Amino acid sequence: MSDLHLDLKNLIIDALGLEDISVDDIDNDAPLFGEGLGLDSVDALELGLAVQKHFSIKIDADSKDVRQHFASINALANFVASKQ
C-alpha cells in the first residue's frame, strides 16, 4: 500500500468519524459509496472538502468526472497524484 493510499484511508476515517473502521477494512478497489464503504452524499461533501484542504488542491464540483474520482481509493489516489 502506498503512502498516498494510506493517507487517503486515514483522511476518510478521520474526516467522516468512522470510528469502527480501520485502514485495513477499506479495500483500494471497493466502491466508497453505496454497497462498498457505504458513504452517502453528505459524506461526499465532507470528504471533498477534507481532500481539498489536506492536499491543497481544487476540486471542481461541477465537473462530470468528480464522481469517477471518488469511486474508490485507487481512483482518488490517481486524482490526487495528478493534481500535485
Side-chain angles (χ1 to χ4, degrees), residues 2-49:
S2 78
D3 289 342
L4 179 56
H5 287 77
L6 185 61
D7 202 16
L8 285 167
K9 290 178 180 185
N10 280 315
L11 180 66
I12 289 170
I13 291 167
D14 292 343
L16 303 179
L18 304 177
E19 298 169 359
D20 298 335
I21 294 179
S22 74
V23 293
D24 294 330
D25 294 331
I26 304 173
D27 186 318
N28 288 345
D29 292 317
L32 295 178
F33 298 89
E35 67 271 353
L37 192 55
L39 303 183
D40 60 22
S41 59
V42 173
D43 295 327
L45 292 172
E46 290 179 24
L47 180 56
L49 291 172

Side-chain angles (χ1 to χ4, degrees), residues 31 43 52 73 77 81:
D43 295 327
Q52 289 183 96
I73 291 294

Side-chain angles (χ1 to χ4, degrees), residues 40-80:
D40 60 22
S41 59
V42 173
D43 295 327
L45 292 172
E46 290 179 24
L47 180 56
L49 291 172
V51 167
Q52 289 183 96
K53 183 177 180 180
H54 186 80
F55 294 103
S56 299
I57 60 175
K58 177 75 173 126
I59 299 173
D60 181 6
D62 295 327
S63 170
K64 60 180 167 54
D65 297 328
V66 168
R67 188 168 263 198
Q68 292 174 346
H69 297 318
F70 284 81
S72 67
I73 291 294
N74 282 333
L76 190 53
N78 290 336
F79 172 70
V80 169

